[in-house]
Amino acid sequence: MFQTSIGPSGVSPGYMRPETAQGIFVNFKDLYYYNGNKLPFAAAQIGQAFRNEISPRQGLLRVREFTLAEIEHFVDPEDKSHPKFPDVANLEFLMFPREDQVAGRSARRINIGEAVAQGVVNNETLGYFIGRVYLFLTHLGIDKDRLRFRQHLANEMAHYAADCWDAEIECSYGWIECVGIADRSAYDLRAHTDKSGVPLVAHEKFPEPREVEKLIIVPAKKELGLAFKGNQKMVVEALEAMGEKEAMEMKETLESKGEAAFNVCTLDKVVTINKNMVSISKEIKKEHQRVFTPSVIEPSFGIGRIIYCLYEHSFNTRPSRDGDEQMNFFSFPPLVAPIKCTVFPLVQNQQYEEIARQIAKSLTVYGISYKIDITGTSIGKRYARTDELGVPFAITVDSASSVTIRERDSKQQIRVNVDEVASVIKEVTDGQSTWGDVLWKYPTHSS
Amino acid sequence: MFQTSIGPSGVSPGYMRPETAQGIFVNFKDLYYYNGNKLPFAAAQIGQAFRNEISPRQGLLRVREFTLAEIEHFVDPEDKSHPKFPDVANLEFLMFPREDQVAGRSARRINIGEAVAQGVVNNETLGYFIGRVYLFLTHLGIDKDRLRFRQHLANEMAHYAADCWDAEIECSYGWIECVGIADRSAYDLRAHTDKSGVPLVAHEKFPEPREVEKLIIVPAKKELGLAFKGNQKMVVEALEAMGEKEAMEMKETLESKGEAAFNVCTLDKVVTINKNMVSISKEIKKEHQRVFTPSVIEPSFGIGRIIYCLYEHSFNTRPSRDGDEQMNFFSFPPLVAPIKCTVFPLVQNQQYEEIARQIAKSLTVYGISYKIDITGTSIGKRYARTDELGVPFAITVDSASSVTIRERDSKQQIRVNVDEVASVIKEVTDGQSTWGDVLWKYPTHSS
């Protein structure tokens, strides 16, 4: 981490956050309250994270300052089902389970519904997010054949994690981890609870109070003090920390033999406990609610890495019209293209320019980003320039009443009325229609 | 600034950025190229900035880590007109020019078009951004009577700035500077040019080459070396740095008297220059372009401060229905309300719940954020809770075919068909229509 010092004195150290997640965990109590004290719920954050990498390299892939987007989805550890799982359950994509990696096999297409049913993926909520990450990345324009979900090997995974899958994207640097989707169990909330003393827990109220059998261990501090002197506290804590099985065995031994051998880890020795030193019993108690630490499922997105891979997967070349040159173009889907369309008067002419400006205004009203080019550069050159920027649609003003729309990848053109053109562009860029849909609706134009 | 050290050695110091602007200035050459080597153009950035404040205080108003949004609009210093200025020129709002402050007068309503015409605001581009900032803040929900534009006094302004106005918003802490709109002239680009040696300049190509008279000063280094020995370099530099007037006077003196007295600042003394030591002349040169450092107009938004003031300006109380209580509500405009609407089945009933879920789904399709509450809590309580969150619209399912929409501030209700309700909400939240518009189109409902 990067260290700095806060305030004028210079004695108060601070660190730049290496991930965004912890800010969500420390706010758990408020977030839980905002959700009406109900699980499941999720909080998401996007922002800069800072890691003092020893050797930053590979462009945007390993950097010291990067944009991280994290979702923390809190669930009841006893119910990790997800109501929307059926929406993704039929997706099939490249997965690389732990067993296949160990056996030296390759990633293979697996149905996510089956992966969850067979226990390859630990639970429905984790499976739901894996499915949603697949949809997210492929909608952005990541090639589905160069995207795989690789399960962490047992030795890669943090000790507390229940399961973890990385969305890896293949690029010229190999398979790059771009999104991590982990079931971190209750680890983070427990760690903050331990350090801060503030319980970060959820409550499930029972409709009817339930009778619960509770183990009660009461060490007799006076007797233990006489017997163990300075070690009394360690022995008391060790007795209180006994699990049900161990405690019931000790109870039996004490009742039959009057004393029992007891291993105190913190003292690293076995001591003798006699029956005056501890009372062990079971009581029936009425409970009105269950108190528990939620588990968290965390999809964590490295935005720079995703964008870098998107550049590689979207970069294409094709021959120029006369075949002399290789032309570069980015095939960004309309959804993510930074500039959605261009407006070109075919030739320099005041009337066409006027219409171009009028179209530009209506694009602004629809909130569509565009580029207008009224220079006299040849239309072929103007298309080539904006193909290189990945602009999906080009509007060319070649008459006073109607204009053409050209699609970048197919170079197909349709003819649309001037007053309709902005709404057609809106339709095909916000995902209501595809280019295929509008191609049927409007006359095609061949240049 | 916050200092840290970069890399494993700890010897390479780094600083957390105190503003976002400098990243734009160092990228000027690329940005200028992306804009086809044409002025004007603007680049904008939003992100975290860090300042090691001695005493952070006043909630979100003075903090060590904050969100800053900056626009750097680069213009030709010889032409600071703005093509869209007429769009804002008729706006009238509270302005507080330097003269009024010095004279002890109050802020007054001034027409921004007149302020620019009279030279109160330095130029059109600066005036355009002042107008746009006014529109931005009032659209967010800032009260126009508690918003003023205060001009920096001469002693407040950085020495390089041509003019600077702060958008100040009045809240319980007084008038708070929330946006700064400054004409920083060419200062930043020049400073980076000086330090880096990379010229951050723009070019204006002349349609025809122009003849320009150029001053040529050629110091005779050999003679100067013999005369001034170790001080030769300082004398050479001082001669080369002469302005046109000074140089032409020296030329005249040298021609008439053979020698001239010359003050060398860096030596802090007057030396005698004779006519063998320097040749001064004027030549006519052909120039094909003008090379200059652009000026920059910078609107800089403190996002946390704006949000804090928006909270204060949007916070209201009104009596409850029975008059017993004061109820709090936030009157956020639909545009900025974090949750746009709620969906409530009037009573707990499977059919209404089903319809509520169906409406919720169609809201998701339209990209509208909503909250659904199917608890049996009384409808009045549910309205009160969401008024407190500033949710502008509430959909209540009270029949199988039509539902009511309630507006938060007026508490007025209209009745709309189930299959139309999502598109009506869309219309009134994205600004296509106002509540007043839809109130005329649909039957009102009184509860």
Side-chain angles (χ1 to χ4, degrees):
Chain A
M1 286 194 285
F2 287 105
Q3 184 175 354
T4 186
S5 71
I6 299 174
S9 65
V11 293
S12 173
Y15 296 89
M16 290 160 80
R17 65 176 182 194
E19 56 175 17
T20 61
Q22 300 309 321
I24 297 176
F25 293 128
V26 297
N27 281 307
F28 173 79
K29 276 187 82 160
D30 287 339
L31 295 168
Y32 182 56
Y33 170 74
Y34 296 154
N35 198 48
N37 293 328
K38 282 198 189 65
L39 288 181
F41 73 89
Q45 195 170 6
I46 184 167
Q48 293 304 92
F50 304 85
R51 295 182 192 174
N52 197 1
E53 289 287 351
I54 303 296
S55 52
R57 58 184 179 276
Q58 301 177 329
L60 287 174
L61 298 183
R62 187 167 295 281
V63 287
R64 288 182 172 137
E65 178 182 353
F66 54 100
T67 302
L68 200 61
E70 293 182 309
I71 302 172
E72 306 298 329
H73 181 92
F74 297 98
V75 291
D76 184 339
E78 292 180 9
D79 178 13
K80 293 183 179 175
S81 66
H82 196 292
K84 291 187 188 164
F85 185 67
D87 295 353
V88 301
N90 288 323
L91 293 173
E92 201 178 284
F93 42 78
L94 280 179
M95 295 186 78
F96 202 8
R98 194 178 294 143
E99 284 66 34
D100 290 15
Q101 296 170 52
V102 172
R105 289 190 291 264
S106 304
R108 59 197 163 94
R109 292 176 63 82
I110 299 183
N111 175 292
I112 184 70
E114 282 169 27
V116 170
Q118 291 163 7
V120 175
V121 169
N122 185 280
N123 59 71
E124 254 191 18
T125 298
L126 193 63
Y128 173 71
F129 281 109
I130 291 173
R132 286 294 299 267
V133 167
Y134 170 79
L135 291 175
F136 172 67
L137 293 174
T138 50
H139 282 181
L140 291 184
I142 294 296
D143 178 0
K144 67 179 171 39
D145 296 324
R146 286 187 278 170
L147 166 63
R148 72 180 183 195
F149 289 83
R150 191 180 70 78
Q151 189 173 29
H152 276 204
L153 296 174
N155 61 8
E156 277 179 283
M157 207 154 63
H159 65 280
Y160 49 80
D163 195 5
C164 184
W165 292 77
D166 284 343
E168 295 184 332
I169 305 177
E170 195 182 21
C171 71
S172 53
Y173 292 107
W175 286 95
I176 302 298
E177 172 200 345
C178 291
V179 186
I181 307 133
D183 181 337
R184 298 171 62 90
S185 75
Y187 177 75
D188 302 276
L189 290 179
R190 284 224 182 95
H192 284 291
T193 298
D194 287 351
K195 285 284 174 199
S196 66
V198 177
L200 300 177
V201 292
H203 303 261
E204 184 200 1
K205 285 222 171 78
F206 299 139
E208 299 280 312
R210 289 186 194 170
E211 295 200 333
V212 179
E213 203 182 42
K214 279 252 164 180
L215 177 70
I216 311 284
I217 300 172
V218 184
K221 292 195 181 164
K222 197 178 154 198
E223 275 73 21
L224 290 165
L226 290 169
F228 300 109
K229 311 244 154 49
N231 292 335
Q232 182 239 33
K233 193 166 164 261
M234 256 89 92
V235 179
V236 167
E237 284 174 358
L239 286 169
E240 286 174 343
M242 280 190 293
E244 180 161 338
K245 186 162 166 274
E246 194 187 0
M248 295 319 288
E249 280 170 9
M250 179 183 277
K251 180 182 167 73
E252 210 169 289
T253 313
L254 289 177
E255 278 166 9
S256 59
K257 303 190 180 158
E259 61 176 48
F262 179 55
N263 181 19
V264 181
C265 290
T266 47
L267 294 176
D268 200 18
K269 67 176 177 185
V270 176
V271 300
T272 302
I273 300 290
N274 69 46
K275 64 176 175 179
N276 300 325
M277 291 177 184
V278 62
S279 121
I280 297 167
S281 61
K282 275 192 170 178
E283 281 181 22
I284 303 293
K285 284 208 164 187
K286 274 202 176 172
E287 287 201 337
H288 298 265
Q289 61 177 5
R290 183 167 71 93
V291 178
F292 60 95
T293 305
S295 282
V296 69
I297 315 285
E298 177 194 87
S300 172
F301 301 77
I303 301 299
R305 290 183 172 192
I306 295 171
I307 290 177
Y308 175 79
C309 292
L310 182 60
Y311 285 163
E312 279 208 14
H313 288 201
S314 303
F315 185 76
N316 294 289
T317 55
R318 60 185 171 198
S320 62
R321 205 163 195 178
D322 54 18
D324 286 3
E325 268 182 284
Q326 284 295 313
M327 311 298 282
N328 301 330
F329 69 106
F330 273 119
S331 56
F332 298 133
L335 186 69
V336 296
I339 304 168
K340 307 297 185 198
C341 83
T342 50
V343 188
F344 300 142
L346 181 63
V347 291
Q348 271 185 315
N349 145 343
Q350 218 190 329
Q351 191 195 19
Y352 289 2
E353 255 183 64
E354 197 42 58
I355 294 167
R357 290 195 193 282
Q358 179 192 325
I359 291 170
K361 264 206 167 166
S362 54
L363 291 169
T364 300
V365 170
Y366 278 109
I368 297 169
S369 59
Y370 63 88
K371 226 178 143 76
I372 183 166
D373 183 347
I374 56 165
T375 62
T377 317
S378 84
I379 194 71
K381 263 200 186 148
R382 281 184 283 175
Y383 285 153
R385 274 184 198 162
T386 54
D387 288 350
E388 215 168 16
L389 299 175
V391 181
F393 303 106
I395 299 169
T396 303
V397 180
D398 62 353
S399 89
S401 56
S402 73
V403 299
T404 63
I405 303 179
R406 169 187 179 270
E407 195 272 336
R408 175 199 58 210
D409 298 347
S410 64
K411 299 186 189 173
Q412 286 166 327
Q413 296 184 42
I414 56 173
R415 181 162 289 285
V416 177
N417 287 338
V418 168
D419 50 5
E420 266 179 282
V421 66
S423 73
V424 173
I425 295 288
K426 170 84 177 156
E427 228 182 290
V428 288
T429 52
D430 74 1
Q432 281 177 57
S433 307
T434 64
W435 176 251
D437 296 335
V438 297
L439 202 53
W440 282 102
K441 274 173 66 184
Y442 297 93
T444 52
H445 170 84
S446 48
S447 56
Chain B
M1 286 195 285
F2 287 105
Q3 184 175 355
T4 186
S5 72
I6 299 174
S9 65
V11 293
S12 174
Y15 296 88
M16 290 160 81
R17 64 176 182 195
E19 56 175 18
T20 61
Q22 300 308 321
I24 297 176
F25 294 127
V26 296
N27 281 308
F28 173 80
K29 276 187 82 159
D30 287 339
L31 295 168
Y32 182 56
Y33 170 74
Y34 296 154
N35 198 48
N37 293 327
K38 282 198 189 66
L39 287 181
F41 73 89
Q45 195 169 6
I46 183 168
Q48 293 304 92
F50 304 85
R51 295 181 192 174
N52 197 1
E53 289 286 351
I54 303 296
S55 52
R57 58 183 179 278
Q58 301 177 329
L60 287 174
L61 298 183
R62 187 167 296 281
V63 287
R64 288 181 172 138
E65 178 182 353
F66 54 100
T67 302
L68 200 61
E70 293 182 310
I71 301 171
E72 306 299 330
H73 181 92
F74 297 97
V75 291
D76 184 339
E78 292 180 10
D79 178 13
K80 292 183 179 175
S81 66
H82 196 292
K84 292 187 188 165
F85 185 66
D87 295 353
V88 302
N90 289 323
L91 293 173
E92 201 178 284
F93 42 78
L94 280 179
M95 294 186 79
F96 202 7
R98 194 178 294 142
E99 284 66 33
D100 291 15
Q101 296 170 53
V102 172
R105 288 191 291 264
S106 304
R108 59 196 163 94
R109 292 176 63 81
I110 299 182
N111 174 293
I112 184 71
E114 282 168 27
V116 170
Q118 291 163 8
V120 175
V121 169
N122 185 280
N123 59 71
E124 255 191 18
T125 298
L126 193 63
Y128 174 71
F129 281 109
I130 291 173
R132 286 294 299 266
V133 167
Y134 171 79
L135 291 175
F136 172 68
L137 293 174
T138 51
H139 281 181
L140 291 184
I142 295 295
D143 178 359
K144 67 179 172 37
D145 296 324
R146 286 187 277 170
L147 166 63
R148 72 181 184 196
F149 288 83
R150 191 181 70 78
Q151 190 173 29
H152 276 204
L153 296 174
N155 60 8
E156 276 179 284
M157 209 154 61
H159 65 279
Y160 49 80
D163 194 5
C164 184
W165 292 76
D166 285 343
E168 295 184 332
I169 305 177
E170 195 182 21
C171 70
S172 54
Y173 292 107
W175 287 95
I176 302 298
E177 171 201 345
C178 290
V179 186
I181 307 133
D183 182 337
R184 298 172 61 90
S185 75
Y187 176 75
D188 302 277
L189 290 178
R190 284 224 181 94
H192 284 291
T193 298
D194 288 351
K195 285 285 174 197
S196 66
V198 178
L200 300 177
V201 293
H203 304 261
E204 184 201 0
K205 285 221 171 79
F206 299 139
E208 299 280 313
R210 290 185 195 171
E211 295 199 334
V212 178
E213 203 182 41
K214 279 252 164 181
L215 177 70
I216 311 284
I217 301 172
V218 184
K221 292 195 180 164
K222 198 178 155 199
E223 275 73 20
L224 290 165
L226 289 169
F228 300 108
K229 311 244 155 49
N231 292 334
Q232 182 238 33
K233 193 166 164 262
M234 255 89 90
V235 179
V236 167
E237 284 174 358
L239 286 168
E240 285 174 343
M242 280 189 294
E244 180 160 339
K245 185 161 167 276
E246 193 186 2
M248 294 320 287
E249 280 170 9
M250 179 182 278
K251 180 182 167 73
E252 210 169 288
T253 314
L254 289 177
E255 278 166 8
S256 59
K257 304 190 180 157
E259 61 176 45
F262 180 55
N263 181 19
V264 181
C265 289
T266 47
L267 294 176
D268 199 18
K269 66 176 178 186
V270 176
V271 300
T272 303
I273 299 291
N274 69 46
K275 63 177 177 178
N276 301 325
M277 291 178 185
V278 63
S279 120
I280 296 168
S281 60
K282 276 194 170 178
E283 282 181 23
I284 302 293
K285 285 209 164 187
K286 275 203 175 170
E287 287 201 338
H288 298 266
Q289 61 177 6
R290 183 167 72 93
V291 179
F292 60 95
T293 305
S295 282
V296 69
I297 315 285
E298 177 194 88
S300 172
F301 301 77
I303 301 298
R305 290 183 172 192
I306 295 172
I307 290 177
Y308 175 79
C309 292
L310 182 61
Y311 285 162
E312 278 208 14
H313 288 202
S314 303
F315 185 76
N316 293 289
T317 55
R318 60 186 170 197
S320 62
R321 206 164 196 177
D322 54 18
D324 287 3
E325 268 182 285
Q326 284 295 314
M327 311 297 282
N328 301 330
F329 69 106
F330 272 119
S331 56
F332 298 132
L335 186 69
V336 297
I339 304 169
K340 306 297 184 198
C341 83
T342 50
V343 188
F344 300 141
L346 181 63
V347 291
Q348 271 186 314
N349 144 342
Q350 218 190 328
Q351 191 196 17
Y352 289 2
E353 256 184 63
E354 197 42 57
I355 295 167
R357 290 196 194 282
Q358 181 192 325
I359 291 170
K361 263 206 166 166
S362 53
L363 291 169
T364 300
V365 170
Y366 278 109
I368 297 168
S369 59
Y370 63 88
K371 224 176 143 77
I372 183 166
D373 183 347
I374 55 165
T375 62
T377 317
S378 85
I379 194 71
K381 263 201 185 148
R382 281 184 283 175
Y383 285 153
R385 274 184 197 162
T386 55
D387 287 350
E388 214 168 16
L389 298 175
V391 182
F393 303 106
I395 299 168
T396 304
V397 181
D398 61 353
S399 88
S401 56
S402 73
V403 298
T404 63
I405 303 179
R406 169 187 178 270
E407 196 271 335
R408 176 198 58 210
D409 298 347
S410 64
K411 299 187 190 173
Q412 286 166 326
Q413 296 185 42
I414 56 173
R415 182 162 289 285
V416 177
N417 286 338
V418 167
D419 50 4
E420 267 180 280
V421 66
S423 73
V424 173
I425 295 288
K426 170 84 177 156
E427 229 182 289
V428 288
T429 52
D430 74 1
Q432 281 178 57
S433 307
T434 63
W435 176 251
D437 296 335
V438 298
L439 202 53
W440 282 102
K441 274 173 65 183
Y442 296 93
T444 52
H445 170 85
S446 48
S447 55

